[in-house]
Amino acid sequence: MIDTSGGEKLERWGEVVLIRPDPQIIWNTPRENPLWRQAHARYFRSEKGGGHWENYRKAPAFWELAYKDLTFKISPTGFKHTGLFPEQAVNWDLFRRLIAGAGRPVSVLNLFAYTGGATLACAAAGATVCHVDASKGMVAWAKENAALSGLSDRPVRWIVDDCEKFVAREIRRGRRYDAIIMDPPSYGRGPGGEVWKLEESVYGLVDLCAGVLSERPLFVALNSYTTGLSPSVMAYLLGATVGKRFGGSVSADEIGLPVTGTGLALPCGSTALWTEQPLETC
């Protein structure tokens, strides 16, 4: 993150510089960095919904980007995203630490798993992972990332399915998981036209997921990009569901990305985490 101003963020993805909109950037500070005028591409929102990219300097259709020992395919999509949420790296590192320190085999259920950042981090730490997303294209993209990261041979189940329906079936089948990662969208529509609104549906989702945990779960993580859900609200959700069943400890906080031009951090959502032991002792 290089700079932010006027509803937009200036970012470098490897060697490619992009400008993308962000509604939280409500300040109009001077755009003094010359890269504002030298970006490879810029995304413009449409008043009718959606938007489009303007390619100024022949940005590639896709390229690779490494984070530690993981490698990801980056590709600007028609809905503004690039296939990666880099602020989640702080969570990937935490999941790896928890799995490595567990001293036992760990099975992870990654719901709304997108292009697999958390899946790859957990697999690299030695966990078996069930990766679930309703988008066939995103699951295929996640498999590409696994191959790029040299993790194709790891024990990962790649599932294209509605996450809630899949969890309900797993409970009926008697399958259990030691850890769950949930990254639900703020808003969406199911294949039958069902409307998903995070604020209305997230409690039922978390309560359902508590039923697919093993007798001794390791962690449960809940991410949110909805500004209406504060970290405290998300912590309460986990405490009232997972914590009520298993005890343990709950923590929550904002996550964000440091901005080079200002030294501040741009908020990028919130994460709530339930752990078997208090986080500082894990």
Side-chain angles (χ1 to χ4, degrees):
M1 189 79 68
I2 301 168
D3 198 11
T4 58
S5 179
E8 294 181 308
K9 50 190 176 183
L10 178 68
E11 311 166 311
R12 184 192 300 277
W13 297 79
E15 298 301 318
V16 179
V17 177
L18 302 177
I19 299 174
R20 294 192 296 160
D22 190 311
Q24 293 194 98
I25 302 171
I26 60 175
W27 46 91
N28 283 295
T29 49
R31 300 190 177 196
E32 297 174 345
N33 193 303
L35 289 176
W36 281 108
R37 296 174 294 280
Q38 299 169 14
H40 290 83
R42 183 180 185 182
Y43 187 88
F44 289 90
R45 287 194 183 279
S46 168
E47 293 182 358
K48 298 179 181 179
H52 70 280
W53 288 93
E54 288 196 3
N55 198 337
Y56 301 130
R57 295 176 54 204
K58 296 182 179 180
F62 59 88
W63 62 98
E64 295 176 11
L65 188 67
Y67 174 73
K68 296 185 176 178
D69 57 345
L70 305 178
T71 302
F72 300 95
K73 171 188 168 183
I74 304 300
S75 180
T77 67
F79 45 93
K80 185 189 76 169
H81 296 165
T82 62
L84 193 69
F85 292 98
E87 66 275 6
Q88 287 296 325
V90 66
N91 284 328
W92 304 339
D93 291 346
L94 176 58
F95 301 155
R96 293 180 72 155
R97 180 161 61 89
L98 291 170
I99 291 166
R104 56 186 170 102
V106 176
S107 59
V108 178
L109 176 60
N110 187 13
L111 300 173
F112 310 94
Y114 197 49
T115 59
T119 292
L120 302 189
C122 294
T128 61
V129 185
C130 183
H131 173 110
V132 187
D133 197 280
S135 168
K136 183 178 180 180
M138 290 303 163
V139 173
W141 194 335
K143 289 182 180 180
E144 287 186 68
N145 287 336
L148 290 172
S149 300
L151 297 171
S152 292
D153 61 342
R154 298 301 173 97
V156 179
R157 294 169 61 204
W158 306 99
I159 306 293
V160 179
D161 202 348
D162 176 271
C163 289
E164 286 188 281
K165 293 177 181 177
F166 177 79
V167 170
R169 285 196 298 271
E170 290 290 85
I171 292 173
R172 292 195 297 269
R173 287 188 284 246
R175 285 200 176 122
R176 297 293 182 264
Y177 296 87
D178 303 306
I180 301 176
I181 301 164
M182 289 173 276
D183 203 350
S186 299
Y187 179 85
R189 287 187 178 274
E194 310 92 338
V195 176
W196 163 276
K197 291 184 180 179
L198 184 64
E199 295 93 331
E200 298 175 2
S201 306
V202 67
Y203 176 80
L205 170 68
V206 177
D207 194 42
L208 176 68
C209 287
V212 82
L213 286 166
S214 65
E215 293 182 359
R216 188 188 167 194
L218 181 64
F219 70 84
V220 177
L222 173 64
N223 294 314
S224 170
Y225 304 95
T226 300
T227 56
L229 289 184
S230 70
S232 297
V233 167
M234 293 168 60
Y236 189 89
L237 279 173
L238 284 184
T241 52
V242 181
K244 185 177 180 180
R245 294 194 190 193
F246 298 99
S249 177
V250 177
S251 59
D253 209 339
E254 278 191 324
I255 55 175
L257 289 171
V259 181
T260 304
T262 62
L264 303 176
L266 179 68
C268 298
S270 302
T271 294
L273 185 72
W274 176 92
T275 50
E276 179 184 27
Q277 301 292 332
L279 197 57
E280 61 269 16
T281 66
C282 293

